[in-house]
Amino acid sequence: MANPPTTGTAAPPGRRTAFAEGADRLRSAATTEPGRLRVIGAVLALLVVAFGAVTAWQTSDRAAAADDVLHKSQPLSSAAADIYRSLADANTAAAGGFLAGGQETAESRERYEDDIDTAAAKLVTAANNSDANSPSTAAITKLNTLLPEYKGLVERARTYNRQGFPVGGAYLRYANQKMQDEMLPAAEDLYQRENQRLQDDYAAAKPYPWAAIALGVLALAALAWAQHRNYRRTNRVLNHGLVAASAASAVVLLWLVVGHSVARAGLNDSYDHGVRSLDVLHDARIASLKARGNENLTLVARGAETVKAGDTTVDAYDHDFTEEMAALGKGLAAAAKLADDQAGEKPVATAEGNMAEWKKRHAAARAQDDNGNYEQALALVIGAKGATGACFDGVDASLATALDHERHEFRQAAGDGLDAMGGLPLGAAVLAVLGAAGAVLGIGRRLSEYR
């Protein structure tokens, strides 16, 4: 019985596939000088175009990351720090206003309201720049839920305090507990996440574009070999097309290496003398705010909250005050080391002086309170003259000045880094096209001699 016919792509006996025939023609062409020149021209053009394309791609990615550092992630990191600071300051202002009772000043009340409004506005900004369903969005949602609850507790505390009811102090302590246990940890989580986002952008912006550099070196080597080959066969020193292609590739490679090196230096400077200083100063400012809040709450609670410190029972808020002041001292010492000019050093030194005086006045206030002289202690904390409040305000103002200076330093250095990569992606693409055209024209000039 005859076998059934088969189907498939195999060529009939005696016939070859188009691919095999094309390969044969290519090998046959390569055995002649014109054929070899065509292959060389195609390879050179491909290498130069690939070099330009990879350069444009890698530098575009790094420029986008550098732009995010300057215009997105660092401002959002600062916004997250401002949320934390505003919440901590609102808590401090609320405690200070409570201590003043019916004598609360309009300035104190306005400070509290401004802090709450600032926190709410910064939360909106952070929400608009956060990815949906991200952990940052969850922290923002939590803070947006807790903020009105906290405000309600503070208003109840104020109302009962004005009426002379002791329950007002309990409401204020509950509001402080909500702030310390729920709101500030959520704000700190947001701050840490935005800081990590900033670190990721730095990590994406700074690495050298090794693939583009390697292709550039390879393209220049191939062009040099082609020109040397041309010289050996014709004794002509220069081929204008190949020289133009080499010049274009060399310009792109030099621009790439120098531009990225300058950009990297600017970004490193913005981190070392900007971001690091900002982080330390933010932490120091937050520590001073928390210390001031605990100092006020020490007088509000009047011994109602205690903790164990070794074998001794001490006031919980005064214990926390001591810890926060220690953190403030460490932060100021670190900020002083990072400051690289007088404009950065001076406000930090002023803050250290105010902190030292604050400790002295606080010790005097605690001594009065421990001896039963509550009114004298209150005057030493929120009084118009010689009170710890003036020292706290001095620390806070000095840290605000230092933060403004470091933000300027960051923007200057990061901006310089971003500018160094400006125009490189487009310039590399244009020069690569011109270089490829030069290579083709240069080889074409040689081919014309065989016609």
Side-chain angles (χ1 to χ4, degrees):
M1 182 176 179
N3 291 327
T6 59
T7 60
T9 58
R15 296 184 60 184
R16 309 185 64 211
T17 64
F19 177 80
E21 291 180 354
D24 283 345
R25 282 195 296 270
L26 182 62
R27 281 195 294 268
S28 177
T31 60
T32 66
E33 182 61 13
R36 285 192 287 268
L37 286 173
R38 290 188 181 93
V39 172
I40 291 171
V43 171
L44 290 176
L46 180 62
L47 276 174
V48 174
V49 169
F51 170 43
V54 173
T55 298
W57 163 53
Q58 290 197 306
T59 54
S60 292
D61 283 351
R62 283 155 178 77
D67 186 74
D68 284 344
V69 165
L70 180 60
H71 296 119
K72 194 171 184 180
S73 51
Q74 199 286 322
L76 280 175
S77 176
S78 288
D82 287 340
I83 290 170
Y84 195 113
R85 187 206 66 78
S86 297
L87 292 175
D89 194 48
N91 200 47
T92 297
F98 185 92
L99 284 175
Q103 304 300 317
E104 182 183 6
T105 63
E107 181 182 356
S108 175
R109 179 71 180 186
E110 183 179 353
R111 179 172 182 168
Y112 168 80
E113 296 292 348
D114 286 346
D115 285 330
I116 294 296
D117 291 343
T118 298
K122 295 290 185 180
L123 284 170
V124 172
T125 300
N128 290 336
N129 289 279
S130 297
D131 298 328
N133 301 319
S134 68
S136 292
T137 300
I140 293 166
T141 301
K142 182 177 182 179
L143 286 168
N144 277 324
T145 301
L146 292 172
L147 190 58
E149 295 178 9
Y150 172 80
K151 287 178 63 180
L153 291 170
V154 170
E155 291 308 315
R156 288 187 183 182
R158 290 178 184 276
T159 300
Y160 286 125
N161 188 44
R162 284 194 297 267
Q163 295 173 355
F165 296 150
V167 71
Y171 271 106
L172 187 66
R173 291 195 300 274
Y174 184 34
N176 177 72
Q177 184 178 359
K178 183 175 287 292
M179 177 66 74
Q180 299 292 341
D181 296 345
E182 298 181 64
M183 298 177 71
L184 290 183
E188 183 176 9
D189 180 61
L190 177 63
Y191 176 56
Q192 295 297 335
R193 293 186 185 281
E194 294 302 336
N195 250 0
Q196 184 58 53
R197 186 176 177 180
L198 175 61
Q199 299 295 331
D200 293 343
D201 285 337
Y202 267 110
K206 292 197 298 182
Y208 275 104
W210 292 115
I213 292 173
L215 272 173
V217 172
L218 181 60
L220 281 174
L223 286 164
W225 172 83
Q227 291 176 87
H228 180 67
R229 182 181 185 277
N230 182 62
Y231 169 72
R232 291 182 63 185
R233 281 164 174 74
T234 66
N235 284 328
R236 294 171 185 165
V237 177
L238 297 177
N239 177 295
H240 293 163
L242 294 179
V243 169
S246 299
S249 298
V251 168
V252 174
L253 184 60
L254 184 63
W255 190 0
L256 173 64
V257 173
V258 174
H260 193 273
S261 296
V262 173
R264 183 184 174 95
L267 290 170
N268 282 333
D269 189 50
S270 74
Y271 183 81
D272 292 336
H273 302 294
V275 172
R276 289 179 63 197
S277 293
L278 286 170
D279 287 345
V280 168
L281 289 168
H282 279 307
D283 291 343
R285 197 177 189 192
I286 287 167
S288 72
L289 288 164
K290 292 171 75 172
R292 179 60 177 172
N294 284 312
E295 184 177 48
N296 289 339
L297 286 165
T298 301
L299 295 176
V300 172
R302 304 187 72 172
E305 302 286 342
T306 59
V307 292
K308 280 283 189 179
D311 296 330
T312 307
T313 299
V314 297
D315 184 276
Y317 296 115
D318 193 49
H319 175 267
D320 290 344
F321 168 86
T322 302
E323 290 191 341
E324 296 300 339
M325 289 298 280
L328 172 60
K330 290 179 181 179
L332 291 176
K337 290 181 180 179
L338 290 171
D340 59 348
D341 57 19
Q342 187 175 3
E345 294 170 356
K346 185 176 179 180
V348 174
T350 302
E352 288 178 320
N354 280 313
M355 182 189 69
E357 183 61 26
W358 186 359
K359 287 181 177 180
K360 294 178 183 178
R361 294 183 184 183
H362 176 79
R366 295 308 311 140
Q368 291 290 344
D369 193 32
D370 290 341
N371 290 329
N373 301 320
Y374 178 80
E375 293 299 327
Q376 288 88 335
L378 187 63
L380 287 172
V381 173
I382 64 169
K385 185 177 181 181
T388 59
C391 299
F392 161 71
D393 289 339
V395 169
D396 192 64
S398 295
L399 289 175
T401 300
L403 281 165
D404 286 341
H405 172 72
E406 297 301 336
R407 285 193 191 99
H408 175 75
E409 294 281 292
F410 163 80
R411 286 192 293 267
Q412 183 67 45
D416 290 344
L418 179 59
D419 291 343
M421 287 189 280
L424 181 52
L426 179 60
V430 171
L431 287 172
V433 171
L434 294 176
V440 171
L441 290 174
I443 296 298
R445 180 68 179 273
R446 283 281 295 120
L447 283 170
S448 67
E449 298 172 2
Y450 289 88
R451 295 175 187 152

